Amino acid sequence: MEKIAMIGGGSWATALTKILSENGARVDWWLRSKDDVQHLMRTGHNPRYLSSVLFDRNLVYPTTDLSDAVLEADWLVLAVPAAFVQPVLDKLGRDALRHKSGVVSAIKGMIPGKNVLVTDYVQERFRLPAAQLGVIAGPCHAEEVALEKQSYLTIGSPDVSGLGLAFCQLLRNRYVSAHPAADLDGIEYCAVMKNIIALTGGIAHGLGYGDNFLAVLVSNAVQEIRRFLQAISPQPRDLSASAYLGDLLVTAYSQFSRNRTFGSMVGRGYSVKSAQLEMNMIAEGYYAVKSIHELNRQLKVNMPITTAAYNIIYERIAPAVELEILKEKLR
């Protein structure tokens, strides 16, 4: 039996715990809330997210003790918001992850302030080889996993035939297909950037722009992502693959997209703070747009969509004004 330490109590952590435990893995599930842990232990349900999912309490062990969750795990899966990764993982000793089969990030964001990918931070913090790291990507909303809708995941890892394939096998079931890919950095950066695009698309939606504009925005976004990836991590890659384009499309268009929802609220007149307070989940795009914008100060890539999102969210330029500027730059 494979042992998984699941770090995080949100919807994606809940969905992944469902998949892994139903496939027969033991999941030691770290959640910050003692009340949530007690509720899970008593009822088998997460009271906050995907509460319809019932967990097998012979395979899922919720806890608030991070060290206890990690100690005997073969795998560590990170599913907390990117803003909380550093304070959570800094509670562990530098050798705590040395002998794990792998550390897999399910986070589609960057470490705020440091402007580094989650896997880069983990590698440096715990002195791990790149082959011990992976990232979960692909167009896969947690809500649809709970409903057991057909979903596709990609595990990015430099060790495709080792870690990548092994973790795919832990995920595959009748409604989840999983495939490994070697482009760890490209997949992870794309997962970050698609949240920025979805946020911007949400702003446009909130302002009353329609499907025609969103289609143009997304097609321009693919070009923007390609330019950025070639500047920061140059290598041949097919951005039409589901790990890239598929993830972008589902985040930009889906009703389940928290980044699109957040952007739509801002477009409708909510302040950034009030939109954050009203949402029950964190929109990673809020942090991502600042990280990518700051990275691009050195790269100087043409990124009009990212610039527009940054100006609205951080420079407080009126969404209607900024979208008027952006629409003249799209083709």
Side-chain angles (χ1 to χ4, degrees):
M1 180 187 294
E2 293 287 317
K3 296 180 179 178
I4 317 290
M6 180 64 62
I7 311 302
S11 58
W12 195 211
T14 305
L16 289 169
T17 299
K18 168 184 166 64
I19 295 168
L20 292 163
S21 62
E22 288 181 355
N23 284 349
R26 169 179 169 137
V27 182
D28 289 281
W29 188 2
W30 178 84
L31 301 94
R32 190 177 347 200
S33 168
K34 188 175 294 185
D35 290 342
D36 291 354
V37 166
Q38 291 174 348
H39 190 277
L40 267 161
M41 293 175 69
R42 187 173 65 253
T43 70
H45 296 274
N46 185 341
R48 295 178 187 266
Y49 302 98
L50 309 185
S51 56
S52 64
V53 176
L54 176 63
F55 294 99
D56 183 343
R57 280 169 281 176
N58 293 315
L59 289 173
V60 176
Y61 296 86
T63 180
T64 57
D65 188 327
L66 181 64
S67 297
D68 187 54
V70 171
L71 183 61
E72 296 185 2
D74 301 305
W75 300 84
L76 184 77
V77 178
L78 298 172
V80 295
F84 302 144
V85 171
Q86 184 174 352
V88 169
L89 291 186
D90 282 356
K91 297 174 183 177
L92 298 173
R94 287 191 176 270
D95 294 326
L97 309 183
R98 182 69 59 84
H99 302 295
K100 304 301 181 190
S101 298
V103 179
V104 180
S105 172
I107 303 164
K108 298 181 178 182
M110 301 181 73
I111 307 295
K114 292 182 177 294
N115 299 335
V116 297
L117 296 172
V118 171
T119 55
D120 287 342
Y121 172 73
V122 171
Q123 182 175 16
E124 180 183 356
R125 173 71 175 78
F126 296 99
R127 299 170 292 196
L128 300 178
Q132 203 172 339
L133 299 165
V135 61
I136 303 175
C140 190
H141 282 308
E143 293 82 0
E144 291 199 356
V145 170
L147 296 170
E148 301 187 354
K149 301 285 189 180
Q150 185 64 44
S151 301
Y152 291 79
L153 291 171
T154 299
I155 305 303
S157 174
D159 186 9
V160 174
S161 60
L163 183 150
L165 184 58
F167 202 78
C168 284
Q169 290 170 341
L170 291 174
L171 293 169
R172 289 172 179 155
N173 62 23
R174 62 181 174 80
Y175 60 91
V176 176
S177 296
H179 303 277
D183 185 19
L184 175 64
D185 285 354
I187 288 171
E188 197 167 0
Y189 274 120
C190 189
V192 171
M193 291 194 66
K194 56 94 180 180
N195 288 329
I196 299 172
I197 307 309
L199 188 158
T200 311
I203 292 171
H205 178 265
L207 286 168
Y209 287 76
D211 292 343
N212 294 346
F213 179 81
L214 183 58
V216 172
L217 181 77
V218 171
S219 60
N220 277 259
V222 175
Q223 300 169 46
E224 183 165 319
I225 291 169
R226 180 180 290 112
R227 291 192 296 267
F228 179 79
L229 290 182
Q230 279 302 108
I232 202 164
S233 178
Q235 70 174 70
R237 50 174 63 92
D238 180 8
L239 291 188
S240 66
S242 63
Y244 310 98
L245 181 59
D247 206 359
L248 171 62
L249 291 175
V250 79
T251 308
Y253 282 93
S254 175
Q255 61 178 326
F256 295 126
S257 171
R258 66 192 70 176
N259 290 283
R260 177 183 164 94
T261 299
F262 174 70
S264 182
M265 292 170 73
V266 172
R268 296 199 314 269
Y270 284 73
S271 69
V272 170
K273 187 171 184 179
S274 62
Q276 288 175 316
L277 289 173
E278 186 158 320
M279 290 184 66
N280 188 36
M281 297 179 286
I282 288 177
E284 290 282 12
Y286 168 77
Y287 300 101
V289 68
K290 186 175 183 182
S291 291
I292 296 296
H293 181 80
E294 290 180 352
L295 284 174
N296 197 43
R297 285 176 177 166
Q298 295 179 331
L299 298 171
K300 301 187 185 306
V301 175
N302 178 30
M303 301 180 72
I305 301 172
T306 300
T307 300
Y310 178 83
N311 287 342
I312 293 168
I313 300 301
Y314 287 94
E315 298 295 340
R316 299 184 181 181
I317 294 177
V321 172
E322 192 63 37
L323 264 289
E324 281 292 325
I325 296 170
L326 175 62
K327 74 180 188 181
E328 296 303 320
K329 298 178 181 179
L330 303 181
R331 296 290 182 268

